[in-house]
Amino acid sequence: MPSVRSFMVLPALPDTLKELEFIAKNMFWCWNLEFVELFKHIDNKLWKACNHNPIKLLGAVSQENLDALAENQGYVCQLKRAAEKLKLYLEGPTWFEKVNSKCTEPTIAYFCAEFGIHESLPIYSGGLGLLAGDHLKSASDLGIPLVAVGLLYQKGYFRQYLNIDGWQQEVYAENDFYNMPLELIRDKNEQPLTIGVEYPGGTVHAQIWCISVGRVKLYLMDTNIPANSSHDRQITSNLYGGDREMRIRQEIMLGIGGLRALRAMNINPTVCHMNEGHAAFMALERIRLLLADKNMTFDEAFEATKAGNVFTIHTPVKAGLDEFPIEMIDKYFAGYFPSLGIGKKEFLGLGRMNPDNDTELFKMPILAMKLSAYRNGVSKLHGEVSRQMWAGLWPGVPINEVPIKAITNGAHCKGWLSGEMNSLFERYLGPNWADETAAKSIWENIDQIPDEELWRTHQRSKVSLIAFARTRLKAQMQQRGTYHTELNWAEEVLDPEALTIGFARRFATYKRGNLLLTDPQRLMKLLNNPSRPVQIIFAGKAHPSDTEGKEIIRQIMHFVTKYDARRRIVFLEDYDINVARYLVRGVDVWLNNPRPPMEASGTSGMKAAINGALNMSTYDGWWCEGYTPEGGWIIGAGENYQDAGYQDTVESQAIYNMLENEIVPLFYTRSADGLPRAWVRRVKNSIKWIAPRFSTHRMVADYTRKFYNPAAAKWKYLTAEAMLRAKELSTWKSTIKSAWPAVDIKDVQIQIGNNGDGDSVHTDSKQPTLKVGSELKVKALVRLGKVDPDNVSVELYFGPIDAWGDIREGSAVKMDYKQSESHDGEHWFAGVMRCKTSGRHGLAVRVLPKHDDLVNPHEVGLILWESANAKTGTANN
């Protein structure tokens, strides 16, 4: 091969257009439509051909066109206004500054395997990436001091097309980083800044690229550089590509390499947020750095690190979580154990549910949970499912107290809203509505929008969707080799006046993309109703290894052919952000029918709702919180079925019933002026309810208040004074763990008081009978041995009990220390429980460790419950 010398060619922008480059290099333009119009105006056809990539556009447009624009005073003024708006945005006051004016500003590092910011940056696959992208946009809008870390994939995720049989095919296109909104980070000598990570074959190097997302910087590592072997250059080749070994190589670079990249740029985060378990090795590297820099033990560094880590888990499907065989962990981390000051068994135990089970695989979400003080699921239901799923990490802890919280996902409203709807909101909600998306009062003004305006605005988006679908369908047919004479019908598919259902998401089996096809005759009757037709637009990719998911797509395509439904059912190939944007803006109904409780959250329905679509979904994910009878429809009631086939039958029939009896009639019932006013009323209800509650502004604000600020404060506190408090906490935990086996509940005495109206109560030795308002006064004799009473919390735990005698959804009340009983370390504690509701209730005494520096009382992993052998007594007052 010849020696090739590389050089860069930059667009020659006239002086009056120089600020185009400034705007193009900050992704702020992608959620501000007036900025998009600047690029479309240059050359709309070329803009589309460049996949809406402004850097590529500026490099491809003719010099004559640029020179002509430079003479266009109107365009130049528009450009100057846009540049000034961006500068004011970057320098202006923020929400975070207002609510944290007295706080030392932390640095939050947000780690994720993929980021879906815009279609011109194809380094995402689906929901996780889109959520991460929206997280960054809202963090920028709110002024959160956040930096993001990921990998820059040379080929990204696959491009999808279907063959003549409807079977998904995958192709991988090379990303041209030098024609994307990226900048290479350079050192003081103007050379690419690189970091090194040790792998079994030697050190792998990565250079660092930066994407500006408003005020937020996203740093992406790239191993495709000459310093690496051809094998190592492949680490950042594909998103979710390759085998399990490639996955661990990628996750080592993301976690360990990501933290080293930040350090190389002198960024020292106070809080590290792992968005899913892919980045969990980051927490180990954070411990290693403390060991190296601060002369700490592993346990001491563990305490400090854990306090500053946040972990968000996104899937309730165990098969979708990363786990690695022990041989692979040994291969990649045998040289890493010594730097942590622990042995192989201790290391493996960090990634196991049961550290003593030598056959258990090493699980990334367990590693992340054990090394994080703040953990959450992505909807209320998912929080409940996650607590049940991972309760084994906290044995003896009631399910409702398992320390995994819930912060429900959201969508970045302005980034997904159509231009027409945005203009409507500016007129009736106020020009700055996007700054206050989480304020419910603003959305009450939706009622001020005239029905006709809202309806016509949404209809224009539907027309745009159908035009887009026809053009894309024609291109798909040409690619498959369809005869030219058959292409004309592509211009006739879909009807702008027909009720349009959208179904677009990853084609995993549990999402049931073929559920609508279970009764062909009934579906075709809906589609072909001459006066009230229904049409469906599908889109989505199956994972390259998911044969069952690909088969669902093939079934849809075969259904279309068999029943000649091509004018009413369309499948749009190569689902990406651009396709999603058209769909959520233009459909009338957004259909989501996963098998509960398999959907962690979902966000596409939120995006559709703010654009005036109505949601019809199974009772799963975010819809458990988003559903209101006046603003959408629910499929079933979240029932659990043992027979999946029977469940599919029941719930598909429910969909047909709703369409036939409610949704279709509601859509087509028009007033004298031709408006579906009852439908529009429901749309308004939907927007008012969903928009403020399910925006990423609300979501990121929740993360900030509940996790980022507390974690930053705890990190600062524990690491102050040469890590003194972190070391003290570690010592305290070690002491309490060694002393805990001696702790015992020796005696429990219950005194029954009168109820509220003074009536006496009746009891026997087994089960007292009380009335609402009565009190149980409880005394407990606890042997603490060498444990100081100030280091424990003795509690009454009570609540309704089930048929098996277990307390469900209980509550705890702290008991007060009363006196020492003897020199043997026995102490009396007393507390009161009030009977507030009727029914069969249970009561138990428990002991937990207590320390002011604990984030959660269950983080030590110690809990003692009153045993059946404890002496108990009951008496009337």
Side-chain angles (χ1 to χ4, degrees):
M1 292 290 291
S3 176
V4 178
R5 293 176 175 83
S6 64
F7 53 91
M8 278 294 297
V9 179
L10 301 174
L13 292 174
D15 289 342
T16 54
L17 301 181
K18 289 293 185 183
E19 287 176 317
L20 273 174
E21 188 174 10
F22 165 62
I23 291 172
K25 288 184 176 180
N26 192 310
M27 297 305 296
F28 180 74
W29 62 261
C30 77
W31 71 90
N32 288 272
L33 295 173
E34 67 267 36
F35 287 63
V36 175
E37 290 300 320
L38 282 173
F39 299 117
K40 289 174 68 176
H41 187 90
I42 294 173
D43 187 331
N44 191 29
K45 187 175 181 181
L46 185 59
W47 173 246
K48 292 178 181 178
C50 291
N51 199 30
H52 311 138
N53 178 346
I55 300 295
K56 191 173 183 179
L57 172 75
L58 295 179
V61 68
S62 70
Q63 195 63 44
E64 292 80 7
N65 197 340
L66 290 175
D67 291 339
L69 274 176
E71 299 298 323
N72 185 330
Q73 292 303 309
Y75 184 84
V76 171
C77 288
Q78 185 183 357
L79 173 60
K80 288 182 177 179
R81 285 195 299 270
E84 187 62 28
K85 178 178 179 179
L86 176 54
K87 291 172 185 174
L88 289 172
Y89 173 86
L90 296 175
E91 299 168 1
T94 68
W95 172 86
F96 185 85
E97 291 170 347
K98 293 176 184 177
V99 300
N100 294 272
S101 57
K102 296 181 181 179
C103 299
T104 301
E105 186 170 288
T107 299
I108 299 120
Y110 180 88
F111 290 75
C112 192
E114 54 172 300
F115 289 90
I117 298 167
H118 187 260
E119 62 268 21
S120 62
L121 292 164
I123 53 172
Y124 62 91
S125 71
L128 179 69
L130 295 184
L131 188 279
D134 281 9
H135 192 114
L136 300 194
K137 292 170 187 175
S138 280
S140 171
D141 288 343
L142 297 177
I144 312 298
L146 181 145
V147 296
V149 181
L151 300 178
L152 184 60
Y153 303 99
Q154 189 67 60
K155 296 181 181 178
Y157 205 49
F158 70 91
R159 304 294 300 272
Q160 175 202 52
Y161 73 94
L162 306 183
N163 67 16
I164 197 76
D165 187 45
W167 191 256
Q168 174 180 291
Q169 307 291 301
E170 298 91 26
V171 293
Y172 292 87
E174 295 273 349
N175 284 325
D176 180 3
F177 300 154
Y178 294 92
N179 270 315
M180 294 169 65
L182 300 164
E183 289 191 274
L184 192 59
I185 300 296
R186 298 183 181 275
D187 61 21
K188 61 184 179 181
N189 298 317
E190 288 301 310
Q191 296 300 309
L193 180 66
T194 61
I195 52 101
V197 179
E198 298 75 28
Y199 283 75
T203 299
V204 176
H205 301 276
Q207 61 186 5
I208 309 163
W209 297 81
C210 177
I211 301 173
S212 295
V213 186
R215 299 181 176 98
V216 169
K217 299 295 185 185
L218 166 58
Y219 297 105
L220 303 169
M221 287 160 294
D222 167 23
T223 65
N224 187 17
I225 57 177
N228 294 326
S229 68
S230 58
H231 180 57
D232 293 335
R233 293 176 76 155
Q234 294 298 311
I235 290 175
T236 55
S237 176
N238 296 99
L239 172 60
Y240 305 142
D243 54 14
R244 187 176 289 185
E245 183 143 9
M246 179 55 74
R247 179 62 68 87
I248 196 172
R249 289 169 68 81
Q250 288 184 332
E251 295 186 357
I252 289 171
M253 183 57 67
L254 173 62
I256 296 176
L259 198 59
R260 291 183 185 180
L262 293 178
R263 295 258 296 186
M265 295 181 289
N266 295 315
I267 299 171
N268 296 299
T270 46
V271 178
C272 290
H273 184 173
M274 294 167 278
N275 193 42
E276 196 49 279
H278 307 114
F281 292 135
M282 177 279 302
L284 294 175
E285 179 67 4
R286 207 174 184 198
I287 291 174
R288 189 194 68 80
L289 290 172
L290 283 181
L291 290 176
D293 296 345
K294 304 296 183 181
N295 191 29
M296 304 175 77
T297 67
F298 175 84
D299 289 340
E300 291 167 350
F302 177 93
E303 294 305 330
T305 297
K306 183 176 181 178
N309 286 344
V310 176
F311 172 56
T312 299
I313 190 167
H314 282 266
T315 175
V317 184
K318 282 195 175 183
L321 301 171
D322 283 341
E323 56 185 19
F324 300 109
I326 305 312
E327 302 76 25
M328 192 173 290
I329 294 294
D330 200 27
K331 174 181 176 180
Y332 283 92
F333 287 93
Y336 200 79
F337 304 152
S339 65
L340 294 175
I342 58 174
K344 175 181 175 180
K345 183 175 178 63
E346 292 172 281
F347 185 94
L348 292 174
L350 294 171
R352 286 171 165 165
M353 185 75 76
N354 179 3
D356 296 322
N357 181 358
D358 292 335
T359 63
E360 185 179 346
L361 297 180
F362 188 92
K363 299 176 177 64
M364 295 297 280
I366 290 180
L367 176 65
M369 277 187 272
K370 287 187 175 182
L371 269 64
S372 300
Y374 304 88
R375 316 165 194 88
N376 72 286
V378 290
S379 68
K380 288 183 179 179
L381 176 62
H382 183 231
E384 295 171 8
V385 171
S386 296
R387 286 190 285 274
Q388 294 172 359
M389 186 173 175
W390 302 109
L393 291 173
W394 296 273
V397 175
I399 293 294
N400 65 307
E401 290 188 7
V402 168
I404 300 175
K405 297 182 179 180
I407 294 181
T408 302
N409 282 346
H412 186 261
C413 294
K414 195 167 184 182
W416 292 100
L417 201 66
S418 71
E420 294 84 356
M421 194 68 79
N422 179 65
S423 297
L424 196 66
F425 286 177
E426 287 182 347
R427 289 201 301 275
Y428 291 96
L429 275 62
N432 298 317
W433 70 268
D435 297 331
E436 303 289 340
T437 54
K440 298 173 185 176
S441 57
I442 284 180
W443 296 99
E444 292 300 322
N445 292 325
I446 287 290
D447 288 331
Q448 304 304 314
I449 301 175
D451 290 354
E452 183 174 3
E453 279 197 67
L454 182 58
W455 174 249
R456 299 304 176 201
T457 298
H458 182 70
Q459 283 297 99
R460 284 193 291 272
S461 293
K462 187 198 287 191
V463 170
S464 296
L465 165 62
I466 290 174
F468 171 81
R470 289 171 176 173
T471 300
R472 198 171 183 94
L473 183 61
K474 192 171 184 177
Q476 292 171 191
M477 295 169 63
Q478 288 174 326
Q479 183 175 346
R480 283 198 291 269
T482 304
Y483 291 118
H484 183 73
T485 53
E486 294 185 12
L487 292 176
N488 291 336
W489 71 263
E491 302 289 344
E492 302 171 4
V493 302
L494 305 176
D495 177 358
E497 300 298 326
L499 173 64
T500 304
I501 299 173
F503 183 98
R505 53 192 34 86
R506 182 165 57 91
F507 269 77
T509 51
Y510 76 87
K511 294 179 182 283
R512 298 187 294 181
N514 55 352
L515 190 62
L516 264 178
L517 313 182
T518 54
D519 191 335
Q521 284 71 35
R522 202 168 176 187
L523 177 59
M524 291 307 299
K525 187 176 179 181
L526 280 164
L527 299 180
N528 292 328
N529 187 315
S531 60
R532 295 180 169 186
V534 175
Q535 56 197 16
I536 310 164
I537 303 177
F538 288 97
K541 299 176 179 178
H543 187 277
S545 301
D546 187 359
T547 302
E548 292 180 337
K550 291 181 180 181
E551 176 58 27
I552 291 174
I553 296 174
R554 195 181 74 89
Q555 288 176 17
I556 293 171
M557 301 306 292
H558 280 224
F559 183 96
V560 171
T561 301
K562 180 177 179 180
Y563 294 95
D564 192 23
R566 60 185 184 179
R567 285 183 171 80
R568 295 296 185 204
I569 298 180
V570 169
F571 189 97
L572 299 180
E573 298 173 16
D574 201 27
Y575 186 47
D576 66 357
I577 290 177
N578 188 40
V579 176
R581 197 182 295 118
Y582 276 100
L583 280 166
V584 298
R585 291 173 178 177
V587 300
D588 299 305
V589 174
W590 194 259
L591 175 64
N592 184 39
N593 45 232
R595 187 172 284 119
M598 306 289 276
E599 186 87 298
S601 174
T603 59
S604 56
M606 306 171 188
K607 299 160 189 169
I610 60 172
N611 279 286
L614 295 176
N615 278 271
M616 175 169 57
S617 175
T618 49
Y619 202 61
D620 200 10
W622 79 281
W623 194 233
C624 298
E625 303 159 60
Y627 168 70
T628 58
E630 301 82 17
W633 295 276
I634 188 170
I635 305 165
E639 299 94 342
N640 290 317
Y641 295 83
Q642 296 298 318
D643 186 336
Y646 175 68
Q647 180 178 5
D648 292 349
T649 299
V650 170
E651 293 180 347
S652 65
Q653 294 300 312
I655 293 174
Y656 296 136
N657 289 337
M658 274 191 289
L659 286 170
E660 293 167 346
N661 300 319
E662 183 168 356
I663 297 175
V664 173
L666 187 69
F667 181 83
Y668 283 105
T669 298
R670 306 297 165 97
S671 59
D673 56 4
L675 290 179
R677 293 193 178 275
W679 181 275
V680 174
R681 168 50 49 195
R682 189 172 284 249
V683 167
K684 289 182 176 180
N685 291 338
S686 170
I687 296 173
K688 284 192 299 182
W689 177 259
I690 291 173
R693 291 170 174 83
F694 300 97
S695 75
T696 42
H697 277 36
R698 185 273 312 154
M699 181 192 81
V700 171
D702 281 352
Y703 275 110
T704 301
R705 294 189 185 101
K706 297 177 181 179
F707 288 172
Y708 294 161
N709 284 345
K714 185 64 72 173
W715 167 267
K716 182 181 177 182
Y717 173 80
L718 289 178
T719 57
E721 301 177 25
M723 304 283 171
L724 176 64
R725 293 186 183 91
K727 293 177 180 180
E728 289 178 343
L729 180 59
S730 174
T731 300
W732 178 84
K733 281 191 176 182
S734 178
T735 301
I736 201 81
K737 285 178 180 178
S738 63
W740 197 257
V743 177
D744 189 23
I745 299 172
K746 304 290 293 181
D747 187 14
V748 176
Q749 298 180 5
I750 302 175
Q751 186 178 61
I752 303 171
N754 290 338
N755 63 10
D757 58 12
D759 292 340
S760 60
V761 295
H762 303 282
T763 182
D764 57 38
S765 59
K766 294 183 179 179
Q767 179 171 296
T769 302
L770 310 172
K771 290 186 178 181
V772 172
S774 299
E775 289 184 344
L776 291 178
K777 298 178 180 179
V778 182
K779 291 177 63 180
L781 179 64
V782 182
R783 185 179 68 199
L784 294 178
K786 296 181 179 180
V787 178
D788 190 285
D790 289 338
N791 287 334
V792 298
S793 177
V794 181
E795 298 175 347
L796 296 177
Y797 185 77
F798 58 92
I801 58 176
D802 58 22
W804 292 272
D806 296 323
I807 298 173
R808 299 297 182 193
E809 302 296 326
S811 301
V813 171
K814 187 177 180 297
M815 301 177 71
D816 297 323
Y817 178 78
K818 291 301 180 183
Q819 65 186 44
S820 174
E821 175 69 12
S822 69
H823 297 295
D824 297 327
E826 295 183 350
H827 306 268
W828 283 102
F829 293 81
V832 177
M833 186 206 89
R834 179 176 291 275
C835 301
K836 296 181 179 180
T837 59
S838 60
R840 190 167 176 244
H841 289 69
L843 168 69
V845 176
R846 68 183 187 183
V847 185
L848 292 166
K850 185 181 72 172
H851 192 283
D852 290 342
D853 293 345
L854 293 177
V855 173
N856 184 284
H858 299 305
E859 70 175 81
V860 188
L862 301 175
I863 185 169
L864 175 70
W865 291 91
E866 171 190 353
S867 69
N869 296 326
K871 186 170 68 173
T872 60
T874 304
N876 291 329
N877 186 21

